[in-house]
Amino acid sequence: IPALATSRERFKRRAEWKLAANIEAREGSPLEAMLDGDPNTGYFTQGFKPFPVEWLTIELPAASTIVGIEIDSRGEKFKDGKDIGWAPAYSVEVSDDGETWKKVVPSVIGEPHARLNLASPIVARHLRIAITEKEGWQPWVIKELNLYGEEG
């Protein structure tokens, strides 16, 4: 499917997504907070792990065509004003069964408000975002997560 023929709508059924991560959430900052539409809340990891151990999986209600991913980590800062909690680099993987993963984007440069527009649409029901590079010991913060394309 050519990218221009695919819808770029923001997925609307986020409440139906099943989320999992391999790092425990800080108290009061569960995974689901990244889907609540409130940029003042979000998922914060409890620990301060070094890369590349952290990942997040999303199980969609049905296979969907994804053309874009948005990860908003803005707002958390060190005392010196420097942004923290965002991944300098991450990979995107897909799976049919949530067990066997295939990297579709091996490395993406991150930023506090990362927007990835995929070169080609991907069709997936399971998506995994994994940190491949991290700056020091800090939590991973995702205030809002959005996918764009055609929901299945």
Side-chain angles (χ1 to χ4, degrees):
I1 301 174
L4 295 176
T6 303
S7 171
R8 298 198 54 80
E9 293 288 318
R10 185 176 75 114
F11 285 18
K12 294 176 177 45
R13 296 168 39 201
R14 296 190 312 163
E16 297 175 46
W17 296 1
K18 295 179 185 171
L19 304 172
N22 67 337
I23 303 294
E24 189 175 339
R26 185 184 304 168
E27 186 176 338
S29 300
L31 283 166
E32 296 75 22
M34 72 176 80
L35 305 177
D36 66 6
D38 182 350
N40 296 310
T41 64
Y43 165 67
F44 295 70
T45 59
Q46 181 172 327
F48 293 78
K49 304 289 184 188
F51 70 90
V53 299
E54 298 172 352
W55 52 257
L56 162 72
T57 62
I58 305 138
E59 180 182 344
L60 300 171
S64 300
T65 302
I66 302 165
V67 298
I69 301 169
E70 177 182 29
I71 303 171
D72 189 352
S73 301
R74 294 177 293 181
E76 297 307 306
K77 299 187 181 299
F78 278 121
K79 292 178 185 174
D80 64 4
K82 182 179 176 185
D83 288 310
I84 65 167
W86 57 281
Y90 56 94
S91 66
V92 178
E93 304 171 27
V94 296
S95 173
D96 292 327
D97 59 8
E99 301 286 327
T100 305
W101 296 93
K102 175 185 171 187
K103 280 189 182 177
V104 292
V105 183
S107 185
V108 176
I109 302 300
E111 56 188 56
H113 189 190
R115 294 177 184 160
L116 171 62
N117 294 309
L118 299 167
S120 298
I122 55 175
V123 177
R125 177 153 187 217
H126 300 268
L127 188 72
R128 179 163 63 186
I129 300 167
I131 291 179
T132 58
E133 183 181 325
K134 187 171 169 185
E135 188 174 322
W137 290 73
Q138 56 181 297
W140 190 12
V141 177
I142 302 177
K143 296 243 178 141
E144 287 295 314
L145 174 69
N146 286 295
L147 299 178
Y148 295 85
E150 293 180 12
E151 282 182 283

